[in-house]
Amino acid sequence: EDKVVQSPLSLVVHEGDTVTLNCSYEVTNFRSLLWYKQEKKAPTFLFMLTSSGIEKKSGRLSSILDKKELFSILNITATQTGDSAVYLCGLHGSGNTGKLIFGQGTTLQVKP
Amino acid sequence: NAGVTQTPKFRVLKTGQSMTLLCAQDMNHEYMYWYRQDPGMGLRLIHYSVGEGTTAKGEVPDGYNVSRLKKQNFLLGLESAAPSQTSVYFCASSYSWAWSNQPQHFGDGTRLSIL
């Protein structure tokens, strides 16, 4: 059975800190791994990762996938209070249905 | 620029009542999904659809039914609501995964309380 585990479950940092969020997974047939940011309402898409070792970057956020060790990390540098959110990791296994299995999420709080 | 719209945003039901949650998307997406989100459990897939007139079960389908009569709409029904169905429900949609991986786009959610 496909499975996704995120760690830590919650994290409190101060503005300017760098954080690393982890997503480990078990899957029979890997297709892609997605990261989402959820503030008050709808999760918003951040990154889709399909290949090992290729970093995806958007401003202060970056993510990378390790398909050998079965994990992904999401890095946020120079954190701001606007980064406070729940970060969700979703895994897509085999098939063409687009079904995602999500981890529990990591709640990040950035204090001024 | 609506994207994915969910109706209603909030609802309180009594045990045993029925209701339908509506999801509408204006992006011409083929695929649509219903999730529920409970504290500490992330998003769990209830049902999904890969095209008009087709539906399939997800991880937690019991107690729910769905219909996709039109491509742009995906309805989630609770026939006899139970307190365990108190949750936040999210609808999502995406382009077809037949040729390439596609991100899902989410609505703002429906907060449902069953008393």
Side-chain angles (χ1 to χ4, degrees):
Chain A
E1 182 179 326
D2 298 349
K3 186 178 177 182
V4 177
V5 177
Q6 293 186 244
S7 63
L9 294 182
S10 65
L11 191 56
V12 180
V13 300
H14 289 93
E15 275 192 317
D17 288 349
T18 293
V19 298
T20 298
L21 310 183
N22 298 282
C23 175
S24 63
Y25 63 90
E26 298 173 15
V27 66
T28 303
N29 293 298
F30 179 89
R31 183 150 175 185
S32 64
L33 186 146
L34 288 77
W35 284 97
Y36 284 83
K37 176 183 181 181
Q38 184 179 23
E39 295 177 83
K40 296 290 184 186
K41 296 182 178 179
T44 54
F45 172 71
L46 295 175
F47 299 112
M48 179 185 290
L49 304 161
T50 56
S51 301
S52 275
I54 299 174
E55 184 183 55
K56 294 285 183 84
K57 196 171 173 65
S58 177
R60 295 176 294 102
L61 277 66
S62 64
S63 184
I64 198 161
L65 175 69
D66 186 326
K67 291 169 73 174
K68 182 180 177 184
E69 300 298 329
L70 307 183
F71 75 93
S72 173
I73 60 172
L74 175 68
N75 278 321
I76 308 175
T77 59
T79 52
Q80 302 170 357
T81 55
D83 294 326
S84 296
V86 176
Y87 291 84
L88 297 165
C89 172
L91 174 71
H92 184 254
S94 59
N96 292 330
T97 64
K99 290 190 300 179
L100 293 174
I101 295 173
F102 284 92
Q104 318 94 303
T106 294
T107 301
L108 174 64
Q109 182 183 359
V110 181
K111 292 186 173 182
Chain B
N1 197 24
V4 179
T5 303
Q6 292 184 231
T7 310
K9 296 189 185 328
F10 305 96
R11 186 74 184 268
V12 178
L13 291 178
K14 293 181 180 179
T15 298
Q17 286 185 318
S18 63
M19 80 160 296
T20 300
L21 280 63
L22 172 64
C23 176
Q25 53 92 7
D26 62 1
M27 297 174 281
N28 202 32
H29 285 166
E30 289 84 2
Y31 293 1
M32 296 187 76
Y33 312 85
W34 275 108
Y35 294 90
R36 59 178 289 174
Q37 187 174 38
D38 302 296
M41 300 190 74
L43 291 163
R44 291 183 294 168
L45 183 65
I46 304 171
H47 286 281
Y48 66 98
S49 168
V50 297
E52 184 178 316
T54 70
T55 63
K57 295 180 180 179
E59 295 175 72
V60 289
D62 294 342
Y64 305 95
N65 56 74
V66 289
S67 64
R68 182 112 182 260
L69 299 179
K70 293 183 178 180
K71 184 177 183 178
Q72 63 268 34
N73 296 336
F74 196 28
L75 278 62
L76 177 71
L78 286 72
E79 290 187 347
S80 179
S84 61
Q85 294 177 304
T86 294
S87 189
V88 181
Y89 292 85
F90 285 96
C91 177
S93 68
S94 76
Y95 289 112
S96 169
W97 279 63
W99 303 109
S100 63
N101 300 341
Q102 301 289 340
Q104 293 180 15
H105 300 265
F106 285 82
D108 283 344
T110 294
R111 186 172 295 275
L112 186 61
S113 293
I114 316 295
L115 304 179

